[in-house]
Structures are given as C-alpha cells and as structure tokens.
Amino acid sequence: MTCVMESPVNLSIARAPPAGAGRRQKKMELKEDLMKMAGNKKKKRIEFVRMTQERVGAAYTDVMPWNSPERVVDTFGPFLGNSAVEYFFAAALNCRAEPAAIQLMGVGGVDSCQANVADILKFALVSNAHSIILVHNHPSGYPGPSREDRTLTCRVEEACQMVGLKLTDHIIIGGDGYGYSIHGETYVEIRNTGGTAGCLDRERHPGKGENHLCTREYPRLA
C-alpha cells in the first residue's frame, strides 16, 4: 500500500487582500459588463437642460415705446451720463417696441468695456425679444462711437439676423446728458427738465433753432 503525502501549505506567504480591493474589483467587473452591453464603445453622458430667465430686480417706467433714440437716451442718461466707469446694457423689446427686460452685459474701466456677442444673443432669446437695443456709456464724456463700438454693432447685427432678431440701435451715453445713436448717426441732447429731448443736428434741420424738439422714430418692425 502506497501512501501519498500532500505538501504542506506555506502559511508564511499568505497575505490579506488590500483594503478596498473587493470594491474595486466589483467596479471593474461592472464596467466590463457595461462595455459588453454597449458593444465595447465608450458612451458620453449628455445633460438635458432648460434655459430660464432669472428675475433679479425690477424698475418702473412710463409705458412708452422706445421708438426713437431720444427716449432711450432719456432713460439711461440720468444715471450713466456722469459714471466714472463704463457699463454695457442690452435691452429686449417686445413687438410694440416696449422694453421688456434689461441686462447688464459688462462692466469695464474708464476707457473700455468688453461685451460678448454670444451672451447678448442668449439674453435676447431667453427674453423672447422681438428686437434689442444696446446701450453703453463713455466715461470720458464724449459720446462719439469708437471703431470698436462700430465693429461690435456690426457683429451683433449679423448675429441677430441669423436668428430672426433685429438690432434696433446702439446708443452711447456721454457726459451732461448727451448721447449718440449709431443707427441714426446723430447726436442727441437730453433736456432734464420735463424729460424732453432736444436736437443738436442743426445741419439736418436748419432754421428750427437750438432747442427745437425732434423725434427720429425707428422704422416700424414687421
């Protein structure tokens, strides 16, 4: 009779598995199973989102359409005319040219302010705007548009046309209640008493005097 002796187990080399090894092993197995179910192709998670408009404040104004640069300057002139820094606003108008929402798009220094075309367009779409008006100020006091102002105006106008919106105007507020309409290529003066607007375009309207009232209405929108 032959006896076979089993070799003894060397207990000295047996080691306990590292902490968390079982959990990592299960994750690896789950990942492999998911890869097999997906045909060994990596999948990317896509979030479903909704763009909403957040109300951060409100202001009361006369229910009057912004159908002329004078009315826009009359609204922004009192608090932007003497500002020490540059602010850039976008205003969303409804189909009656009434302001429905206003958003501060950027704050700059004493001589510049960066505004993003994509952010302006996003604001207009979220606000269900029929048209928009851009407004910013020049702390130097001179409301004449710079080359950068005209370039931005053209870029925003092109972007609006692509999505069926209209850029009605880009208003620049200077010092002492003076403004400039890039759409009309004309200066606008605000008479703070009574909120009326005076006209500085004497070449276009000769013989009417310095303080005559002039309202250059924007073209009606379809």
Side-chain angles (χ1 to χ4, degrees):
M1 181 176 180
T2 303
C3 294
V4 179
M5 299 292 294
E6 294 183 358
S7 58
V9 178
N10 188 359
L11 299 178
S12 62
I13 63 174
R15 298 178 181 177
R23 200 179 308 118
R24 287 196 296 269
Q25 181 64 26
K26 289 182 179 180
K27 286 185 178 181
M28 292 295 296
E29 293 176 355
L30 178 60
K31 185 177 181 180
E32 291 177 357
D33 293 340
L34 292 175
M35 292 290 288
K36 291 178 181 179
M37 294 174 60
N40 294 327
K41 294 182 180 179
K42 292 184 178 180
K43 300 295 183 181
K44 182 178 180 181
R45 179 186 177 92
I46 301 177
E47 301 289 346
F48 290 88
V49 299
R50 177 186 294 119
M51 295 177 62
T52 58
Q53 185 179 24
E54 180 183 2
R55 181 178 179 180
V56 296
Y60 293 93
T61 183
D62 295 333
V63 184
M64 297 177 64
W66 286 1
N67 56 4
S68 68
E70 286 79 9
R71 288 185 176 176
V72 182
V73 176
D74 194 22
T75 302
F76 287 91
F79 67 92
L80 283 183
N82 298 315
S83 174
V85 296
E86 190 166 327
Y87 294 93
F88 196 104
F89 289 89
L93 309 184
N94 59 22
C95 59
R96 295 183 296 274
E98 298 171 346
I102 300 175
Q103 181 171 331
L104 177 63
M105 307 306 303
V107 180
V110 297
D111 59 353
S112 65
C113 179
Q114 299 295 326
N116 189 278
V117 178
D119 291 338
I120 295 174
L121 199 62
K122 184 191 304 183
F123 158 73
L125 294 175
V126 172
S127 303
N128 294 322
H130 189 260
S131 62
I132 63 173
I133 290 180
L134 306 179
V135 182
H136 80 280
N137 65 302
H138 283 176
S140 65
Y142 176 65
S146 65
R147 182 190 308 173
E148 290 76 14
D149 294 335
R150 295 188 182 278
T151 300
L152 178 63
T153 303
C154 292
R155 292 178 57 196
V156 174
E157 188 169 20
E158 292 174 355
C160 288
Q161 290 175 353
M162 294 179 64
V163 294
L165 292 174
K166 178 180 177 60
L167 175 62
T168 301
D169 204 348
H170 186 173
I171 299 293
I172 303 172
I173 305 296
D176 299 326
Y178 290 89
Y180 189 90
S181 165
I182 292 183
H183 176 272
E185 295 293 346
T186 185
Y187 291 92
V188 180
E189 182 183 7
I190 296 301
R191 305 297 187 184
N192 292 326
T193 56
T196 58
C199 178
L200 293 181
D201 196 352
R202 303 183 183 91
E203 295 182 357
R204 181 179 296 183
H205 308 103
K208 290 190 176 182
E210 179 181 353
N211 298 326
H212 80 276
L213 297 181
C214 174
T215 301
R216 292 170 289 275
E217 293 191 358
Y218 296 124
R220 294 184 179 273
L221 301 179

